[in-house]
Amino acid sequence: MRDHNELKKIANSMRKNIVQMIHDSKSGHPGGSLSAVEILTALYFDEMNVDPQNPKKEDRDRFVLSKGHAAPVLYAALAEKGYFSKEELFKLRKTGAMLQGHPDMKGTPGVEMSTGSLGQGFSAACGMAMASKMDNAPWRVYALLGDGEVQEGLIWEAAMSAAHYKLDNLVAFLDYNGLQIDGKNEDVMNINPIVDKFKAFGWNVIEIDGHDFDQIFAALDSAKETVGQPTMVIAKTVKGKGVSFMENEAGWHGTAPSDEDLANALKELGGEM
C-alpha cells in the first residue's frame, strides 16, 4: 500500500476502536496500545504477507505481540484487516467472548501466539524464525516488545539465541515510549543504553520515530537487506498517542476511559464511532 494518507486513516480508525473497546470492557491497557498503532498498521496493511480469508496458510508471515497486555491494538488491526467482525471488539474481556485481555492463539483468528507473561512472546518469535530457517521457508517473523518488558531476563536469553542462529528473517520492534505501569523506565529499572545492549548481543539495530511511516518502512526495508543478523527496531513512541490527555501519562497504562474520557477522546480522533 504505502499510501500514507490511507494508512493514517486506518491508524485513526484503530485508535477509535481501541479507546471504545477498552471503555466498553471497563478494563484494559490503552496507553501501550495507542503507542503501537503505526507499527501494526505498517505491518498488517503493507509489509506482511497475510490473508484474513486463509489465516493459517503455510507461507504467511508471523506476528507475535510479546507485550500481550496491549492486545487491543492487535485486535483493532486484525478486525480492520478482516479477520473477524469489528463487533467482536466491543465484547472485549466479556465472559465467553472471542477477545480476552491477552491474545489467545486457540480462539482468535490471526493470533499466532498466546502472550501476556512478558518475555515469552519474544522467545516464541525466535523459535518461529528458527523453524522457518530450518524449513528453508520464505516467511518472516515480526514481534513487538514493550520497553518495560526488556527488563525481563528471558528477553536477553532469546536475543542471544537469535543472534547465535543468525535469524535474519526476524524483525522485532521495541515500543520505546519510556513508561511502564509504575512510572518511567529509568526510575523503575533503567534499560539504557538499550541500543548498545542489542548491538552487543549481535543484532542489527535501527532507531526510528515509531509514529513516522517513512521511518518504519525504511527500517523494514533495511531489515530485509540485512544478512546474518536479526533486526531490532528501537521505535521511539508516545504512550497514549493520539489522545492528548493520555499522552506521556503512566496512569493510562492500564486504566479504562470513563464515559466523559471516551467522548473527549473520540472528539479528538475525529468524531464518534
Side-chain angles (χ1 to χ4, degrees):
M1 181 183 287
R2 300 211 177 176
D3 177 342
H4 289 201
N5 288 331
E6 187 61 30
L7 290 170
K8 287 176 182 177
K9 290 179 183 177
I10 292 169
N12 194 62
S13 176
M14 287 170 56
R15 284 196 164 92
K16 289 181 182 180
N17 285 327
I18 287 167
V19 295
Q20 183 75 60
M21 75 173 95
I22 296 174
H23 163 271
D24 292 358
S25 72
K26 297 180 174 57
S27 177
H29 297 79
S33 295
L34 293 168
S35 63
V37 167
E38 280 78 15
I39 294 169
L40 267 72
T41 300
L43 289 174
Y44 277 95
F45 295 91
D46 182 275
E47 181 68 16
M48 294 198 305
N49 171 30
V50 293
D51 181 1
Q53 303 307 313
N54 186 14
K56 292 293 186 182
K57 69 170 188 166
E58 289 189 13
D59 67 342
R60 72 192 184 279
D61 291 332
R62 274 70 164 173
F63 172 78
V64 178
L65 182 70
S66 194
K67 46 176 279 181
H69 56 278
V73 70
L74 176 57
Y75 297 157
L78 293 174
E80 198 77 38
K81 188 70 174 177
Y83 281 87
F84 47 79
S85 169
K86 289 184 181 180
E87 293 179 4
E88 293 292 336
L89 299 176
F90 312 117
K91 304 173 187 174
L92 176 68
R93 292 177 175 244
K94 301 293 193 297
T95 302
M98 176 197 296
L99 305 179
Q100 291 302 310
H102 293 79
D104 177 7
M105 63 189 291
K106 293 184 177 180
T108 308
V111 172
E112 297 288 350
M113 179 55 58
S114 301
T115 56
S117 183
L118 296 177
Q120 292 186 1
F122 184 48
S123 300
C126 292
M128 292 176 186
M130 190 181 300
S132 180
K133 285 283 190 183
M134 292 174 70
D135 289 345
N136 292 313
W139 50 271
R140 297 171 64 78
V141 182
Y142 301 86
L144 180 68
L145 288 70
D147 47 9
E149 182 179 12
V150 301
Q151 295 161 350
E152 297 281 350
L154 185 58
I155 290 292
W156 300 101
E157 294 181 56
M160 180 166 48
S161 175
H164 177 79
Y165 290 107
K166 304 183 188 313
L167 301 181
D168 52 17
N169 59 341
L170 172 64
V171 181
F173 283 83
L174 178 64
D175 183 5
Y176 191 14
N177 59 51
L179 297 171
Q180 56 193 101
I181 191 169
D182 290 325
K184 295 180 180 179
N185 301 150
E186 60 195 42
D187 295 334
V188 177
M189 180 65 68
N190 194 359
I191 65 174
N192 284 312
I194 193 65
V195 172
D196 292 340
K197 286 176 181 176
F198 275 106
K199 284 183 177 179
F201 270 71
W203 284 62
N204 171 44
V205 182
I206 303 170
E207 297 178 78
I208 67 166
D209 176 343
H211 302 301
D212 185 312
F213 284 118
D214 281 329
Q215 293 187 36
I216 294 170
F217 288 128
L220 289 167
D221 290 343
S222 177
K224 282 185 284 192
E225 295 172 359
T226 299
V227 178
Q229 287 181 293
T231 292
M232 176 61 66
V233 182
I234 309 292
K236 188 68 179 71
T237 60
V238 175
K239 200 175 188 82
K241 177 69 174 178
V243 180
S244 63
F245 57 87
M246 293 186 183
E247 290 186 354
N248 292 313
E249 293 289 341
W252 285 104
H253 175 87
T255 302
S258 66
D259 292 348
E260 182 179 0
D261 292 330
L262 175 65
N264 290 332
L266 291 178
K267 183 177 180 180
E268 289 190 15
L269 293 167
E272 297 181 357
M273 296 292 297

